[in-house]
Amino acid sequence: MTTGLIPGGQPPDPRPTSALPPQQRREQDGREHAKHVDDRPRSSVITARAAASFEPVGRSVATARGFVRDTLQGWGFADIIDDAVVLTSELVTNAVVHAGTHADLLCLRHEDAVRVEVADRYPEREIPLQGSLATMGSPDREGGRGLQLCAAIAARWGVEYTPTHKTVWFQLDLPDRPVGTRSAGPALPADLLPLADSRVRVAVVQIDRTGAISAWNEDAEELFGYPADQVVGKPLTDLAAWPHTPGTSTGIVEALRLSRWEGSYGIRGADGRVIPVYASHLRVRDTAGDPSTVCLLVRDHERAVLQSPTRVPATDTGPADGQGADPFEVFIGSPAPDDLDGLLQRTVERARDMLDGDSAFLLLATDDETELEVRASTGLPSARQRFARVPVEAGPGRYGSARMPAVHEDLLAVPGAVPLLNGTGMRSVVTVPLKVEGRLTGSLGVAAEGPGRYSNEEALRLQFAADRIALAVESARLGELERLRRGSLSFLVEASDLLAGTLDRDQTLALMAQMTVPTLATWCAVYTIADQASEPYLSYVLHEDEELIDGIKSLLSKISPPDPVPTPGARVWSAPGEAAHDAALRSSMRSLGLTGGPTHQMSSGIGPTLATASAVGGETVVLPLVARNRVIGMLTLGKPTDEHFRQEILELAEDLSRRAALALDNARLYSERTAISQSLQRSLLPPELPDIDGVEVEVIYRAAGEGNEVGGDFYDLFPISDGAYGFAIGDVCGTGPHAAAVTGLARHALRLLAREGLSGPAVLERLNSAILDEGARSRFLTLLYGEMRPQADGSAELKVVCAGHPLPLRLRQDGTVEPAAEPQPLLGVMEDLELYEETITLDPGDVLLCVTDGVTERREGTRMLGDDGLADVLTTCTGLTAGAVAARIMRAVERFASDAPSDDMAILAMRVA
């Protein structure tokens, strides 16, 4: 191993720099420009260590910062947290973003310093150290800033190379603290100290129980410019500029009622400017027992005068003798977190500190007490373990020491005794149960990296603390469950409303996915099954990051879909995670040339492949979509790498899947029936109109009712023989499918009878008999039937029979409009009809307009368009083509009333060219 020299650790190499190998020359340059070089040997006693590994994705940088902050906070080194977090952030960014490899992070606690090491797996990427500190990197560049910060901030730093790793480390010395010091900061040069006036002024303001100012000292007058007599009696809210704190709803009124509060806000001075202040509030009682609040305020940049230390040792949370102290507050500290996650996190941190452990964890029992769920941890890769479950008494990986206190001196001797610690490097552990009224509610454990660290004495101390907090934890857990249940009910009600609001299959699929992401899962896929003989088909994929959708869709399309098992409940599906892992491994090997293929062609695909692998690398579950005792699909929910589903979320997803399955099946049935209905309705309309030499023909048809293509109105135009054409327009009594059935009978009967050579009256008389033969299903019918024969002189001869139908109108070239037939009895009422046909001749330019009563009976209130109104509109159509005439009539009908038409409408316009 080639190791970069630790500045101050060894004397420099006696050889000249130019004689050294290139790699060692760079290390020599790093030594020359590292800060705080001294002759003290590096401490060899390691008192604690914490390690973690982070994947090459952007969010790993934030996770690494949190890991270092949590570790140093647990060790009680608040003074150096900020520097350590900044340096760690830069070095981990170099590893996971710029080098593109995993980052292995190691924190070592020495007697007088903390050492942090960040290793990546790209030793070929050398450290850019050249010449002077100025060339090491620029703050405006992406690369090099981590080393520049190390040289500027760290007491010591260095670089170490191995054939497989490159490690950059830094060391921060701990400040010397006199015995009894509660909090201390480093010594700073005078020019870095905050500015103050001639003296630091502390405003003391007292607020009575109503929120009004009752006391205002001289420093308050000096800071804000108001004399006491101007502000006493006024509410503090008149002066305070209270900021909105993200994630909280606390306002100044609520803050004044808390027992203690500390933070920043603003005070409006007498000159109108807002003065930023740092405040410490304490709620007290006066001699009469009335509550009031004492507020100490300083300028915000002088906050160190009032600011409490960021971490208070557990031994300082109560009186020395313990008299009158709440045991819960002694352990947790005051004020206690008001949310369950905060309470559990505070619990594991205090438990770790109390037993001087390297890590701690807390698990909560499920409702049936058969499993424990990881809810909080410190010193462990919590993101990987959060919400993971282990059996309590049976099954593989069981947690065998949950119901009684247990001490394991060496986990190597009893592997698997605490499944949560597998692969973490912890050797000794003490676990105690959390019980309420004899019922198991959880388990609390503290672990250390060395064996034999704990005995029964530590178990008794931890059990005593667990007994103090068990009731509070259970109360917070029940409160969280109640909030989850209320939220679940609201979620399901909203989901039901959304799903019930559509009968479109594609929209239903989209709603299913959008309701689950990101509320229930990070990504979702919906499989559908057309029928029992069909294979599941991937119908919809959604991820909270839209850029990952295509990658997940491609991955799922390459693996076999989950089995359509009708068993209710969520079941784990490991295939996506395994396939993503294999794809990422193959891409990485190809990019490194380990498969014998070219590397430059595959390297560009590594990023998306790794991102997809990370996105689907967590827990994936499948819920069946069962409707009407048949599996119609599967709802697949997934989490990113190392994340698990909570049982409450899975139960909510199961409820949603039942509702979604019924909605999806309803949409399928509606789509099928709509398709059948539309197909049958289209069969009732003529396929297409024939071309007639010298005659323009245009038809406009509108069926009343949503989803209807054919109603009780109908039309037809068809060739008969010898250049003759039959035309008809009719109206069956009523609308809907019953009227449409008579429509089909009439249209097909007309064609058949007309082609038999019968005259117009004979055709209608036989059609009348056919309608009456339908019995109870028969309906009366108004019908205009005629035959057209184009003439050699350009005119057209028409023979027309109008059986109870609105009369056809003839528009001459001079703009006159007149009826083209006489009214006769309608069909389907009586058996013996005496009908006759009338002959008219249309000259070139004449128009014959035929409509159904849905046009003439168009109403707006008490007004009706009528025959006269239709004739008036037709008068304005002189010189127009048949298509323009029909379009103008339809526009006039639509504009006559604002409501949607309630009756079918048909318009047939014929013009002799």
Side-chain angles (χ1 to χ4, degrees):
M1 179 180 73
T2 304
T3 304
L5 180 63
I6 304 168
Q10 294 180 6
D13 196 305
R15 294 176 293 172
T17 303
S18 60
L20 295 175
Q23 181 170 301
Q24 294 187 16
R25 283 205 304 273
R26 285 188 292 273
E27 296 162 2
Q28 179 69 27
D29 293 334
R31 296 196 300 270
E32 292 174 358
H33 299 287
K35 292 187 62 178
H36 303 297
V37 176
D38 56 37
D39 296 330
R40 292 182 298 172
R42 184 171 42 150
S43 174
S44 60
V45 178
I46 299 175
T47 59
R49 62 190 294 146
S53 181
F54 303 96
E55 294 184 345
V57 292
R59 66 170 180 269
S60 294
V61 179
T63 307
R65 287 197 297 266
F67 173 79
V68 171
R69 181 180 290 107
D70 181 70
T71 299
L72 298 186
Q73 191 83 3
W75 289 346
F77 298 154
D79 298 329
I80 63 172
I81 284 179
D82 291 340
D83 289 346
V85 167
V86 169
L87 297 180
T88 300
S89 179
E90 291 295 333
L91 297 182
V92 173
T93 299
N94 290 340
V96 302
V97 176
H98 301 307
T101 75
H102 282 71
D104 299 322
L105 181 59
L106 175 65
C107 298
L108 301 174
R109 181 177 69 184
H110 298 275
E111 294 174 344
D112 57 356
V114 169
R115 174 181 167 118
V116 178
E117 300 179 357
V118 178
D120 64 53
R121 304 173 189 181
Y122 192 6
E124 294 84 357
R125 183 179 177 120
E126 299 169 344
I127 297 298
L129 297 182
Q130 298 176 0
S132 65
L133 180 62
T135 62
M136 188 185 306
S138 167
D140 297 327
R141 296 180 55 217
E142 288 191 7
R145 289 182 300 190
L147 302 177
Q148 193 175 29
L149 287 173
C150 285
I153 297 176
R156 298 185 179 94
W157 67 279
V159 185
E160 300 177 356
Y161 287 91
T162 70
T164 59
H165 289 73
K166 175 177 80 270
T167 301
V168 181
W169 61 268
F170 63 87
Q171 181 171 307
L172 299 174
D173 291 338
L174 300 176
D176 294 331
R177 294 184 179 178
V179 176
T181 298
R182 183 187 181 97
S183 178
L188 294 176
D191 57 348
L192 296 181
L193 297 175
L195 293 174
D197 291 341
S198 56
R199 68 178 181 86
V200 175
R201 299 184 182 276
V202 180
V204 181
V205 182
Q206 191 154 357
I207 312 299
D208 63 21
R209 64 187 306 169
T210 66
I213 299 172
S214 60
W216 185 268
N217 74 339
E218 294 180 358
D219 279 358
E221 294 182 5
E222 193 68 24
L223 283 174
F224 310 122
Y226 299 104
D229 57 358
Q230 287 187 9
V231 295
V232 171
K234 292 185 177 180
L236 181 62
T237 53
D238 290 353
L239 304 180
W242 190 264
H244 171 69
T245 304
T248 69
S249 58
T250 304
I252 189 169
V253 176
E254 290 79 11
L256 292 174
R257 294 175 183 155
L258 300 176
S259 60
R260 287 190 62 85
W261 185 89
E262 185 174 325
S264 300
Y265 53 93
I267 296 291
R268 296 183 182 87
D271 57 359
R273 293 184 300 107
V274 175
I275 303 169
V277 297
Y278 192 84
S280 177
H281 297 177
L282 176 65
R283 191 75 162 164
V284 297
R285 287 188 302 168
D286 59 17
T287 55
D290 292 330
S292 62
T293 302
V294 177
C295 306
L296 304 182
L297 303 96
V298 297
R299 292 184 178 89
D300 191 69
H301 63 269
E302 297 167 350
R303 62 171 57 199
V305 176
L306 300 179
Q307 190 170 17
S308 299
T310 56
R311 185 179 180 87
V312 181
T315 55
D316 293 341
T317 58
D321 56 1
Q323 296 297 323
D326 184 350
F328 173 74
E329 291 189 355
V330 169
F331 182 74
I332 292 296
S334 179
D338 57 0
D339 63 298
L340 178 61
D341 289 337
L343 177 62
L344 299 182
Q345 192 61 35
R346 179 80 65 83
T347 298
V348 295
E349 291 173 357
R350 292 300 169 89
R352 177 198 58 192
D353 296 345
M354 184 177 70
L355 298 188
D356 194 23
D358 296 310
S359 64
F361 53 90
L362 191 148
L363 303 90
L364 292 184
T366 56
D367 292 339
D368 57 6
E369 300 177 13
T370 60
E371 290 183 307
L372 292 173
E373 184 179 60
V374 180
R375 292 301 302 272
S377 64
T378 183
L380 295 173
S382 56
R384 183 185 66 190
Q385 303 292 343
R386 187 167 171 80
F387 300 127
R389 291 191 167 206
V390 292
V392 176
E393 295 174 342
R398 69 185 184 91
Y399 194 99
S401 55
R403 299 189 182 277
M404 296 291 292
V407 176
H408 298 284
E409 295 184 353
D410 193 348
L411 290 176
L412 295 181
V414 282
V418 185
L420 175 63
L421 300 180
N422 292 345
T424 62
M426 299 298 161
R427 295 285 297 276
S428 55
V429 61
V430 53
T431 61
V432 297
L434 277 70
K435 294 185 177 181
V436 176
E437 298 180 352
R439 182 172 57 86
L440 178 69
T441 61
S443 178
L444 177 63
V446 178
E449 293 183 345
R453 289 279 298 276
Y454 302 116
S455 63
N456 289 338
E457 180 180 353
E458 283 79 12
L460 291 175
R461 290 177 58 197
L462 189 60
Q463 184 66 71
F464 180 80
D467 293 342
R468 303 285 78 75
I469 67 168
L471 185 59
V473 169
E474 179 66 3
S475 176
R477 186 182 74 88
L478 293 176
E480 182 190 64
L481 287 176
E482 180 63 24
R483 288 191 296 272
L484 286 174
R485 290 190 182 101
R486 291 180 181 177
S488 299
L489 289 175
S490 299
F491 173 78
L492 291 174
V493 168
E494 182 179 359
S496 298
D497 289 343
L498 290 173
L499 292 170
T502 179
L503 287 172
D504 182 83
R505 176 183 176 277
D506 294 336
Q507 190 174 0
T508 302
L509 290 172
L511 283 174
M512 291 170 57
Q514 292 166 5
M515 285 185 293
T516 58
V517 177
T519 304
L520 305 182
T522 305
W523 65 273
C524 167
V526 183
Y527 290 86
T528 56
I529 303 175
D531 52 60
Q532 295 181 354
S534 302
E535 291 293 325
Y537 173 75
L538 182 61
S539 299
Y540 202 90
V541 176
L542 184 66
H543 191 280
E544 60 183 8
D545 184 354
E546 294 183 357
E547 295 181 356
L548 298 176
I549 294 177
D550 292 338
I552 297 177
K553 186 182 300 184
S554 175
L555 174 71
L556 295 178
S557 64
K558 296 176 182 177
I559 62 177
S560 300
D563 296 330
V565 179
T567 306
R571 68 183 192 276
V572 177
W573 186 32
S574 59
E578 295 172 353
H581 174 76
D582 293 342
L585 181 60
R586 289 193 300 270
S587 296
S588 299
M589 293 178 66
R590 285 194 295 266
S591 68
L592 296 174
L594 300 180
T595 59
T599 61
H600 64 279
Q601 297 179 358
M602 303 303 301
S603 59
S604 61
I606 296 178
T609 303
L610 293 179
T612 302
S614 177
V616 302
E619 188 175 40
T620 301
V621 297
V622 177
L623 298 103
L625 298 174
V626 181
R628 298 175 176 88
N629 298 321
R630 187 175 74 86
V631 179
I632 63 171
M634 284 86 69
L635 178 64
T636 303
L637 306 179
K639 287 282 190 179
T641 299
D642 297 333
E643 291 193 19
H644 300 266
F645 286 98
R646 297 185 59 182
Q647 187 62 27
E648 295 83 359
I649 296 297
L650 294 180
E651 293 171 357
L652 181 58
E654 186 177 357
D655 287 339
L656 175 64
S657 68
R658 286 194 290 266
R659 290 164 169 79
L662 187 59
L664 183 62
D665 199 46
N666 288 338
R668 177 187 63 83
L669 293 174
Y670 177 79
S671 299
E672 291 178 355
R673 293 179 181 180
T674 300
I676 294 173
S677 174
Q678 292 175 347
S679 177
L680 292 175
Q681 290 184 65
R682 283 192 293 269
S683 69
L684 300 177
L685 296 175
E688 59 183 23
L689 299 178
D691 293 329
I692 304 176
D693 292 338
V695 179
E696 299 173 0
V697 179
E698 181 65 26
V699 174
I700 296 179
Y701 186 88
R702 297 284 189 274
E706 184 179 358
N708 291 332
E709 293 190 17
V710 177
D713 291 5
F714 68 95
Y715 67 92
D716 202 357
L717 179 64
F718 53 92
I720 299 177
S721 63
D722 300 331
Y725 294 86
F727 65 91
I729 183 169
D731 183 4
V732 178
C733 175
T735 60
H738 296 294
V742 178
T743 296
L745 171 65
R747 193 177 70 80
H748 292 293
L750 283 175
R751 287 199 172 206
L752 179 63
L753 295 172
R755 288 170 176 170
E756 290 294 324
L758 299 176
S759 64
V763 168
L764 268 60
E765 289 170 1
R766 284 168 173 73
L767 176 59
N768 180 62
S769 299
I771 294 173
L772 293 175
D773 288 343
E774 292 292 310
R777 294 182 299 176
S778 67
R779 289 172 176 253
F780 64 80
L781 167 67
T782 68
L783 179 63
L784 172 65
Y785 173 75
E787 294 180 1
M788 174 188 295
R789 291 180 182 272
Q791 303 298 313
D793 60 358
S795 63
E797 182 184 80
L798 281 71
K799 295 181 179 180
V800 181
V801 180
C802 185
H805 198 77
L807 299 179
L809 299 179
R810 175 180 182 176
L811 172 65
R812 295 183 182 274
Q813 294 187 54
D814 59 3
T816 60
V817 175
E818 60 185 8
E822 296 292 333
Q824 300 184 54
L826 53 81
L827 308 181
V829 177
M830 52 187 176
E831 294 183 0
D832 296 328
L833 290 179
E834 294 183 2
L835 301 174
Y836 59 91
E837 64 183 9
E838 301 174 69
T839 302
I840 60 174
T841 300
L842 295 181
D843 297 325
D846 289 355
V847 175
L848 184 70
L849 177 67
C850 310
V851 300
T852 58
D853 61 3
V855 174
T856 56
E857 295 179 2
R858 177 72 163 150
R859 294 179 181 274
E860 174 70 17
T862 59
R863 297 186 309 120
M864 185 173 71
L865 179 63
D867 295 334
D868 294 338
L870 178 63
D872 292 340
V873 177
L874 183 59
T875 302
T876 66
C877 298
T878 304
L880 299 182
T881 63
V885 171
R888 179 169 292 187
I889 298 298
M890 179 55 70
R891 282 198 304 270
V893 172
E894 291 175 342
R895 292 173 180 174
F896 188 80
S898 57
D899 296 337
S902 59
D903 195 4
D904 306 326
M905 292 187 294
I907 299 173
L908 172 61
M910 296 182 291
R911 177 179 181 272
V912 179

